[in-house]
Amino acid sequence: MRKRVSIWAPPLPVAGVSNMAAPQDVHVRICNQEIVKFDLEVKALIQDIRDCSGPLGALTELNTKVKEKFQQLRHRIQELEQLAKEQDKESEKQLLLQEVENHKKQMLSNQTSWRKANLTCKIAIDNLEKAELLRGGDLLRQRKTTKESLAQTSSTITESLMGISRMMSQQVQQSEEAMQTLAPVSGSVQLLSTGTGCQAEPHPCLLQLLSRSGGNSSLVFCKWLAWR
C-alpha cells in the first residue's frame, strides 16, 4: 500500500477579497475617525460658549480654540474627499463622496450653532456689564448725596456760628455804649451830691433807666431826679 504524502499550499485568493486591508482603506478609516473626533470637540466648545458668562477675554479664548478645531476638521474633510476621488471603483468613490458631503453639512451646522452661541454669550455679557454700571451709578449717587448732605450740614453750622458771633459782638457793643452813656450821668450825680455836701453812689436802677431811655443822658438824669 502506497503512503500518501500531503503537501501544503497557500490558499488561493478569492476574487474581490483582499488578504490584508489596503493602505488606502486604512487611511480612509483614520481620516473618518479624526473627522468624528474634531466634530465632537467643536460641539463641546460651542456648548462652553453658550455657558460662558464672561469676561469678554474668556469668550475670545474659546472662539480661538473653535477656529483651530474647524481648521483641522476642514482639512480632514478635504483629505477624505481627495481619497474618495482616488478610488478605483466608482461605487466606493461615490460612497466616500457622500460621506464627505454629510461631513460638510455637519460642519456648516456647527458653524451656525457657533454664531448663535456667540450671540447668546455676548448678550449675557452686555447685560452683566449694564447691571454693574447701574450698581456703580447707585453708589456714585449715594456718595454724591452724602457729600451734599455733609456740605449742607457744614454750611448750616457755619451760619449758626456766624450768627452767634454777630449776636455776641452786638451785645458787647451795646454794653460798651451803655458804659459810655453811663459815665456822664454818673458824673452829674456825683457833682450834685458834692454840691449838697453828701456823697451818693449810682443806684442800680440807673442802669435800668439808661436802657429804657435809649442812651439819652439828659432824659436819664431828669428821670433820676424825679425818682429821687
Side-chain angles (χ1 to χ4, degrees):
M1 185 176 180
R2 187 176 294 179
K3 185 177 180 181
R4 292 181 178 180
V5 178
S6 59
I7 301 174
W8 179 86
L12 297 174
V14 179
V17 178
S18 176
N19 291 330
M20 66 171 58
Q24 192 175 21
D25 295 337
V26 173
H27 198 178
V28 168
R29 185 168 61 252
I30 293 175
C31 193
N32 269 317
Q33 290 175 351
E34 291 188 352
I35 289 174
V36 173
K37 172 190 172 184
F38 292 140
D39 178 73
L40 292 176
E41 290 176 350
V42 166
K43 285 181 170 62
L45 288 170
I46 292 174
Q47 185 60 45
D48 290 340
I49 292 175
R50 290 193 188 98
D51 298 336
C52 178
S53 58
L56 192 60
L59 176 60
T60 302
E61 184 178 354
L62 287 172
N63 281 324
T64 301
K65 293 180 179 179
V66 172
K67 289 179 182 179
E68 293 176 355
K69 294 301 177 182
F70 267 127
Q71 290 176 356
Q72 293 172 340
L73 179 60
R74 187 178 296 107
H75 176 72
R76 285 303 183 187
I77 291 175
Q78 291 174 351
E79 188 176 353
L80 182 62
E81 185 176 14
Q82 183 62 34
L83 289 173
K85 292 178 181 181
E86 293 174 357
Q87 294 295 317
D88 296 331
K89 293 184 178 180
E90 184 65 23
S91 59
E92 293 180 357
K93 176 180 178 180
Q94 294 301 324
L95 182 62
L96 288 178
L97 288 176
Q98 185 60 44
E99 290 184 6
V100 169
E101 187 66 23
N102 292 337
H103 290 317
K104 288 181 178 180
K105 289 180 180 179
Q106 185 61 46
M107 186 174 65
L108 290 175
S109 176
N110 287 337
Q111 289 175 342
T112 302
S113 300
W114 181 30
R115 288 192 293 268
K116 291 181 179 179
N118 267 280
L119 180 61
T120 301
C121 182
K122 289 179 179 178
I123 291 174
I125 292 175
D126 289 342
N127 291 335
L128 287 176
E129 290 179 351
K130 289 178 181 178
E132 290 178 357
L133 288 175
L134 289 175
R135 285 195 295 269
D138 292 339
L139 290 175
L140 289 176
R141 283 192 293 271
Q142 291 177 0
R143 292 175 182 174
K144 183 178 179 182
T145 303
T146 302
K147 289 181 179 179
E148 291 177 351
S149 178
L150 289 174
Q152 185 176 1
T153 302
S154 177
S155 177
T156 303
I157 293 173
T158 302
E159 291 177 0
S160 299
L161 290 175
M162 291 178 66
I164 293 173
S165 178
R166 286 192 298 267
M167 184 179 64
M168 292 178 66
S169 178
Q170 290 173 359
Q171 289 179 352
V172 170
Q173 185 177 0
Q174 290 175 359
S175 298
E176 290 177 353
E177 291 177 355
M179 293 299 295
Q180 291 175 1
T181 304
L182 180 60
V185 176
S186 178
S188 300
V189 173
Q190 289 178 359
L191 181 58
L192 289 173
S193 299
T194 303
T196 56
C198 63
Q199 295 181 354
E201 295 294 332
H203 197 275
C205 293
L206 185 61
L207 296 176
Q208 184 177 359
L209 290 173
L210 180 62
S211 62
R212 292 179 179 177
S213 301
N216 192 330
S217 59
S218 299
L219 183 58
V220 171
F221 181 68
C222 293
K223 288 183 177 181
W224 173 259
L225 292 179
W227 182 79
R228 294 285 292 176

